[in-house]
Amino acid sequence: MRRLFWFPILVVFWNLFTIPASSQLVFDVAGGAGSIQQWYAGFWYNPYHDLYYTVKHQYLVRASDMQAAGMPPGLIVGVAVLVRNVSPGMDPRQMTIKFGLTDATQMPLGWNAPFITGLTEVYSNPSFVPQPNQWNVHMFSTPIQWDGQSNVALEFCSYRSGWTGRRAECWITSTNPPVPSFKYRWRDFGNWCNMTTGVTWSYHIWRPVFRFFVQTGITESFPDDVDPRRILRSGEVYDGSDAAHPHPYLKFRTSPGQQLQLTYKIVGPLPSLNPIYIAHETGNPNDTILDYTATGSGEVTFEIPAAKGTAAGQNGALDLSNIPGGSYRLIASYSMPGYTQQWVKDFIIAYANDMSVREVVSPYTNDPPRNFKYPQGVPIDVVAKFQNVGL
């Protein structure tokens, strides 16, 4: 029985070279180059105030502002507003948020002009209270795919059976060039979040700086660093022939018409970074940048079409017939104009009945650093966790 052991010093060394890979990104979207940002304690542009029973705010966020913040197309899964101070004793309010793409280039003009319609409710909280000195985060129950080109509309509506005039102090932005990006409507003595009539403040060029949470790029791969995609058998071929032998792939999010470039290679056994598998365009081993044009929205599973190297099989299969056991690394990338994601995942190629050390815990792991040596001949308890990786 062969055994693969990893010691703490090696684990630390490898982690220094591992680039975190995440498909959820954060972007703070102001009002464009030259816009002015400032704290605001009033109630006009502030979605978190308690001045009326029902307060309905709607904000337009231009695609150009999102692009200027470096935000790529992707699945918008949440939004946040930065708050500094909150009035003492602010009461909970019912809060709902609606969201949607729009071809509107400004808020509808006029005192009684309608709001932007056709939005989807993405957030509901029966007892929301803004929190000071932090981004107040609203994660969506129904994420919305942003195509990278459309403007978006955000609608905040809050209700409480009473009012006090208390409020939060929010971080806001002007729009540049100036464009009507905000309006709100209020009405007392009831929950009027679905109202189309009521007292309306007209449009303005100010709105909060919105923090968007966006899922884009690679979300999964084979191989990966999670079970069962983390452990492969030496001597076998991964060609998609059954569920236990997936074809090498990348799973990523797309929007229609996106022009993407992908790279994919496997190196090892670590600490060696010699490539054993390099993906390339079909029929051209020298072209290791894979071009992809998206035809729809959502997640796509892209199987590697062709590869070269000692672990390259037919039609991009991963052939481990002559590959020794050990730890290996997948290094991939996902690129579009203005954005590149690096995807790095460590995995294991194992022989039958192999075992690896998952964790070693010394008696002093949770203590402050100590400058001492263990005396010779004194037994020291060590806790270790092992995993059978031979499958």
Side-chain angles (χ1 to χ4, degrees):
M1 179 177 70
R2 302 178 180 86
R3 292 179 174 84
L4 304 176
F5 291 99
W6 288 267
F7 296 97
I9 187 172
L10 288 179
V11 172
V12 172
F13 176 80
W14 291 345
N15 284 344
L16 291 175
F17 291 91
T18 300
I19 304 171
S22 175
S23 63
Q24 181 160 300
L25 308 172
V26 176
F27 300 90
D28 297 343
V29 179
S35 60
I36 300 171
Q37 289 84 54
Q38 63 186 35
W39 289 107
Y40 176 73
F43 58 85
W44 272 33
Y45 328 118
N46 183 349
Y48 304 147
H49 75 73
D50 193 29
L51 194 59
Y52 304 101
Y53 278 54
T54 301
V55 185
K56 184 174 180 178
H57 291 76
Q58 196 171 86
Y59 307 97
L60 179 71
V61 184
R62 298 174 298 188
S64 58
D65 297 339
M66 301 164 84
Q67 294 162 358
M71 186 168 153
L75 193 69
I76 298 179
V77 297
V79 68
V81 177
L82 182 60
V83 170
R84 182 165 66 174
N85 298 312
V86 175
S87 299
M90 195 166 181
D91 293 311
R93 295 179 66 94
Q94 174 185 301
M95 174 71 73
T96 57
I97 299 176
K98 294 182 179 181
F99 184 89
L101 309 186
T102 178
D103 56 5
T105 56
Q106 62 183 25
M107 292 302 299
L109 305 182
W111 185 263
N112 288 313
F115 283 162
I116 296 171
T117 58
L119 307 183
T120 300
E121 184 175 302
V122 294
Y123 174 87
S124 180
N125 186 336
S127 56
F128 173 76
V129 179
Q131 300 301 305
N133 303 312
Q134 61 186 276
W135 287 91
N136 283 250
V137 178
H138 309 278
M139 299 308 292
F140 293 172
S141 58
T142 305
I144 302 293
Q145 182 78 22
W146 182 55
D147 57 16
Q149 301 295 325
S150 298
N151 299 329
V152 304
L154 271 164
E155 182 177 293
F156 287 70
C157 190
S158 65
Y159 162 73
R160 186 173 72 83
S161 58
W163 54 268
T164 62
R166 298 187 180 108
R167 66 198 67 174
E169 186 179 19
C170 300
W171 188 242
I172 67 170
T173 180
S174 64
T175 52
N176 189 47
V179 62
S181 297
F182 154 81
K183 69 188 305 180
Y184 88 86
R185 178 174 283 131
W186 65 269
R187 192 168 179 179
D188 273 341
F189 309 113
N191 183 351
W192 304 103
C193 278
N194 292 322
M195 64 182 163
T196 57
T197 62
V199 180
T200 305
W201 287 101
S202 195
Y203 54 87
H204 211 282
I205 68 170
W206 290 84
R207 62 164 175 79
V209 173
F210 289 115
R211 169 169 285 185
F212 288 104
F213 298 85
V214 184
Q215 291 182 356
T216 192
I218 302 170
T219 60
E220 185 181 291
S221 64
F222 179 77
D224 207 335
D225 61 0
V226 296
D227 293 334
R229 300 185 304 276
R230 186 180 69 88
I231 303 171
L232 283 63
R233 290 175 181 267
S234 178
E236 301 199 8
V237 179
Y238 291 82
D239 56 2
S241 55
D242 56 46
H245 298 82
H247 191 101
Y249 69 81
L250 295 174
K251 182 180 288 187
F252 48 85
R253 299 186 183 278
T254 66
S255 294
Q258 272 186 303
Q259 302 290 322
L260 306 175
Q261 292 187 326
L262 309 167
T263 64
Y264 181 110
K265 69 177 179 179
I266 295 172
V267 300
L270 299 177
S272 169
L273 297 180
N274 292 329
I276 63 168
Y277 180 102
I278 302 174
H280 63 75
E281 290 282 13
T282 302
N284 188 354
N286 295 320
D287 188 354
T288 57
I289 297 177
L290 309 179
D291 294 310
Y292 181 86
T293 300
T295 57
S297 296
E299 282 191 322
V300 172
T301 299
F302 175 79
E303 293 191 347
I304 303 304
K308 60 183 178 181
T310 55
Q314 291 186 346
N315 302 316
L318 179 61
D319 187 348
L320 303 183
S321 299
N322 299 304
I323 303 301
S327 184
Y328 290 78
R329 179 169 296 157
L330 167 63
I331 303 174
S333 67
Y334 167 106
S335 297
M336 69 179 78
Y339 171 72
T340 296
Q341 176 196 20
Q342 298 294 323
W343 182 264
V344 180
K345 298 291 181 179
D346 289 357
F347 65 96
I348 294 169
I349 297 177
Y351 298 105
N353 301 318
D354 272 344
M355 297 184 70
S356 69
V357 179
R358 292 301 306 270
E359 185 179 6
V360 176
V361 183
S362 79
Y364 301 106
T365 297
N366 297 320
D367 288 353
R370 298 168 183 246
N371 184 18
F372 64 86
K373 296 181 179 180
Y374 294 120
Q376 186 175 4
V378 175
I380 303 295
D381 292 333
V382 175
V383 177
K385 295 180 180 179
F386 296 84
Q387 178 177 2
N388 185 337
V389 298
L391 296 181

